[in-house]
Structure formats: structure tokens, C-alpha cells
Amino acid sequence: MTYLQWLKCASQTLTDSESPKRDAEILLSFVTQRTRTFLMAFSETLLTDDELIVLSECLKRRQNGEPIAYITGEKEFWSLKFNVSNATLIPRPDTEKLVELGLEYLPKVPCEVLDLGTGTGAIVIAMATERQDCLFTAIEKNKDALILAQQNAAQIGVNNVYFLQGDWYKPIKNRKFSMIVSNPPYIEPTDIHLSQGDVRYEPRSALVSEDDGLADIKLIVQGATKHLNQYGWLLIEHGWKQGEVVQTIFKQHGFQLVETFTDYSGNDRVTLGRWFKP
């Protein structure tokens, strides 16, 4: 079977996927270790028996709904390649908005930044590659996720990120930062989307939060008042229906210049505010 023949068959098989052709191309590229350009230019190339066996297994996993990123073990974010596992959320394009805003609001001078619940390390590593003059601290409760984030930092080659294991602010004691960023759990436990699509395979601990999905956001906002420098910024990613209520939480804790920004699909995604203590 040639590359072209397999791609056609696989695309027809992945009927439940939102992007069957793209999924098939990613799997074929992953198994053959060939670029997409090569696959298209040499589409008549014959697959080996071993490649067909591996491709068949990958296709079955994708048919069952397993995310492509978990099958290949990697995901691109901010034009960087991150290793992923089922111990972490899969980095999503919309989260790049948080990175974009973080870089925009960072002071122009060297400073310290905290990332809470770092997961794969995608947010903090992306920011660290852009601001090598800053010192970044990343906290993650899950040990396996923390190890993965450290591996990603080493693989990408950033040396200005320090990783700590623990629950939110506990590992940093009385330290203060010029900026705190976080993409915390924000889905309410009864949300029907938890049983649909890729999220079925992702760790619920990284997705679900009590109090209508707001419990962890409230903890982060409250704790930020003790760990931000005067005029420091807090940026939190949240659900597309949570912008207004998250703004209220920020304001209740004394944050100013509070604003919600939309993601690249036009949905409310990131709320930020500046800490000012009279």
C-alpha cells in the first residue's frame, strides 16, 4: 500500500473526527518519520509491513477517540514541540492568547514570573523563550506532569525556568512576582462535554473544579494578592462563559484595570488585572 492509498483509506475510516485528513497525515508522518511535504511529493512510496502494523494500531486508537497528541506523544504550541502524556492537558491553540498577553504586559525590564499548574510547561516555556532576561518559576502538583515539563524545558533549551512541585502557592512561601499566569481547572463537574471528544482522555484533575468551575480560580486570585509586587499583573485562562464572573472575582479582591480578552475564535478566554495595594 502506498502513502496516498493509506491516507485515502484512513481518512474514510476516521468518520467521527473533525479533521480526518489532517489526522491521517499526522499519523502517517509520525510513523514514517517523514514530513508532510515528503508525503505529498512522494505519495507513491510503499509502506513497509512494520509501518502498516503500527499505523493500524494508531488508527484504531484514534477511531476510539484517543487524542492525536497522546498517540504521537507530542503537540506543537507557540511554534515549539512539546512532549505530552495522559498526565497532562494537551496544549491548545487558544492558550497561546494567554502567552501573547503575558508577553505584552510583562515589564520591559528583567523581572520574575510565576506559572501555576504548569502541566506540560507550555505557557511558561513559551514565555521564557521570548524573555530570556526574566526568571520564571513553574509549580505543578502532579509529579509525572512536573517531570514532563522539566523534560520539555531541557529539550527546548530554556534555562531560565525553575520547577517546583506543590499545590498552588504552597512551595513559594513569601516570594513575590511581577506577574502570575495560570490555566487552572475551570470546568464544572457536571459539564456534559467531559464525556465528549478529546477531554475524555485528559486528567479530570486538570479540567474540573468545584463551585461551578470557579473554586481554583478563586484560590489563585486570593493568593495572588500576597504574591504579587505592587502593580503586578495576574492573568488567568477560563471558560468562554466565565469572563464576567471572573472579572467580578478579580475586582472583589482589589484588582484594577480588570479586562477580559477573547481567544482566536472570538470567545472570552483570558481575564487579567493589576494588583494595587493602597
Side-chain angles (χ1 to χ4, degrees):
M1 181 177 286
T2 66
Y3 288 172
L4 183 60
Q5 289 170 331
W6 188 87
L7 283 172
K8 185 177 180 180
C9 291
S11 299
Q12 294 172 344
T13 300
L14 297 173
T15 53
D16 291 335
S17 171
E18 295 180 358
S19 53
K21 183 180 178 182
R22 183 60 181 146
D23 286 357
E25 289 174 349
I26 292 172
L27 293 177
L28 184 59
S29 179
F30 168 67
V31 172
T32 62
Q33 292 297 293
R34 298 291 191 179
T35 65
R36 184 170 182 267
T37 302
F38 185 96
L39 298 180
M40 298 302 104
F42 300 95
S43 59
E44 74 283 359
T45 303
L46 288 171
L47 289 158
T48 67
D49 289 341
D50 288 343
E51 287 172 338
L52 285 168
I53 291 171
V54 177
L55 282 167
S56 178
E57 180 58 32
C58 290
L59 198 59
K60 287 178 183 177
R61 291 171 65 182
R62 185 56 184 149
Q63 279 182 283
N64 290 332
E66 187 173 352
I68 286 284
Y70 286 162
I71 298 172
T72 63
E74 59 188 32
K75 178 71 174 180
E76 185 177 293
F77 180 87
W78 202 257
S79 298
L80 303 169
K81 187 175 289 187
F82 287 86
N83 294 324
V84 299
S85 76
N86 56 15
T88 67
L89 291 182
I90 300 168
R92 287 170 168 76
D94 287 337
T95 300
E96 291 189 359
K97 187 65 179 184
L98 179 58
V99 175
E100 180 184 311
L101 289 167
L103 294 170
E104 179 181 342
Y105 281 81
L106 263 182
K108 304 305 179 185
V109 298
C111 62
E112 291 196 44
V113 180
L114 174 65
D115 176 30
L116 292 170
T118 198
T120 60
I123 295 168
V124 71
I125 292 171
M127 292 183 68
T129 62
E130 303 286 349
R131 287 296 302 270
Q132 297 182 27
D133 59 321
C134 295
L135 178 64
F136 295 82
T137 299
I139 295 176
E140 172 57 52
K141 184 177 182 179
N142 184 297
K143 184 179 179 180
D144 291 335
L146 187 70
I147 292 172
L148 185 67
Q150 291 172 318
Q151 292 172 344
N152 280 326
Q155 176 178 291
I156 292 170
V158 297
N159 54 16
N160 54 334
V161 183
Y162 292 87
F163 295 92
L164 300 171
Q165 185 178 3
D167 190 16
W168 300 134
Y169 296 100
K170 289 182 180 179
I172 57 171
K173 298 183 180 179
N174 297 319
R175 287 178 59 192
K176 293 192 175 185
F177 301 83
S178 295
M179 178 177 285
I180 297 173
V181 297
S182 183
N183 177 18
Y186 55 74
I187 300 176
E188 56 183 298
T190 57
D191 194 309
I192 61 171
H193 295 96
L194 290 169
S195 60
Q196 302 172 0
D198 288 358
V199 296
R200 290 176 296 164
Y201 288 82
E202 294 180 284
R204 286 181 68 90
S205 60
L207 291 165
V208 174
S209 186
E210 298 296 330
D211 193 7
D212 296 326
L214 298 169
D216 291 296
I217 289 176
K218 289 179 178 179
L219 286 173
I220 291 169
V221 176
Q222 181 180 3
T225 63
K226 303 173 184 177
H227 292 285
L228 276 174
N229 295 324
Q230 183 79 305
Y231 306 118
W233 290 95
L234 171 65
L235 294 84
I236 296 180
E237 179 173 337
H238 51 72
W240 66 282
K241 292 183 178 180
Q242 295 175 324
E244 187 175 339
V245 67
V246 174
Q247 280 196 33
T248 299
I249 295 169
F250 270 63
K251 292 172 182 177
Q252 287 174 340
H253 286 85
F255 282 85
Q256 300 183 3
L257 303 178
V258 177
E259 190 173 357
T260 297
F261 292 82
T262 59
D263 57 28
Y264 306 120
S265 299
N267 298 313
D268 284 353
R269 187 59 60 193
V270 178
T271 293
L272 57 78
R274 197 173 199 183
W275 173 241
F276 174 76
K277 185 175 182 179

